[in-house]
């Protein structure tokens, strides 16, 4: 079976869905995004009352879609698989698992021989 965590959507809605499923985008990445603001992302980031960079609210017609989502651990109960998914979906590319390391992850080493 397949769980489409992030169906194709507008950028603002896509980011809101990611935060709902994966948790908050790290502040350092949001700050980098604000430093690299351009015509494509200028409506995605705002500064809050304290001056911290955060995601702009998503469009009204997407709020119900975001609210219908659950955290990734509510979809995936297998702890080893959940660990792999979290490593694959890490926000920071420098921290994300490589393809080579992913293939060596314990999830792929599990014994699947019928008892």
């Amino acid at each position: 079976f397949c769980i489409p965590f992030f169906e194709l959507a507008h950028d603002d809605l896509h980011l809101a869905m990611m935060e709902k499923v994966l948790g908050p985008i790290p502040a350092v990445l949001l700050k980098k995004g604000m430093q690299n603001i351009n015509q494509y992302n200028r409506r995605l980031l705002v500064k809050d009352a304290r001056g911290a960079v955060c995601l702009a609210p998503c469009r009204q017609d997407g709020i119900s879609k975001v609210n219908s989502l659950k955290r990734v651990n509510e979809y995936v109960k297998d702890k080893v698989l959940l660990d792999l998914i979290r490593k694959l979906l890490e926000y920071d590319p420098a921290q994300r698992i490589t393809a080579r390391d992913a293939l060596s992850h314990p999830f792929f080493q599990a014994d699947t021989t019928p008892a």
Side-chain angles (χ1 to χ4, degrees), residues 40-57:
Y40 303 108
N41 67 1
R42 71 173 170 253
R43 292 191 183 107
L44 300 176
L45 302 171
V46 295
K47 289 191 178 183
D48 67 14
R50 298 168 298 146
V53 179
C54 57
L55 287 181

Side-chain angles (χ1 to χ4, degrees), residues 29-99:
L29 295 180
L30 291 172
K31 195 172 180 180
K32 274 186 187 179
M34 185 63 91
Q35 291 168 349
N36 296 311
I37 205 88
N38 60 48
Q39 66 187 22
Y40 303 108
N41 67 1
R42 71 173 170 253
R43 292 191 183 107
L44 300 176
L45 302 171
V46 295
K47 289 191 178 183
D48 67 14
R50 298 168 298 146
V53 179
C54 57
L55 287 181
C58 77
R59 59 193 68 226
Q60 284 295 119
D61 62 346
I63 292 174
S64 62
K65 172 71 109 180
V66 173
N67 290 339
S68 72
L69 296 171
K70 300 181 269 186
R71 297 291 293 216
V72 67
N73 60 311
E74 293 182 52
Y75 292 106
V76 181
K77 297 302 181 190
D78 182 288
K79 291 187 186 318
V80 177
L81 176 57
L82 181 60
D83 179 66
L84 175 61
I85 290 171
R86 283 190 170 139
K87 288 176 177 175
L88 289 167
L89 297 178
E90 167 64 44
Y91 285 117
D92 187 344
Q95 301 298 316
R96 195 174 302 137
I97 193 169
T98 65

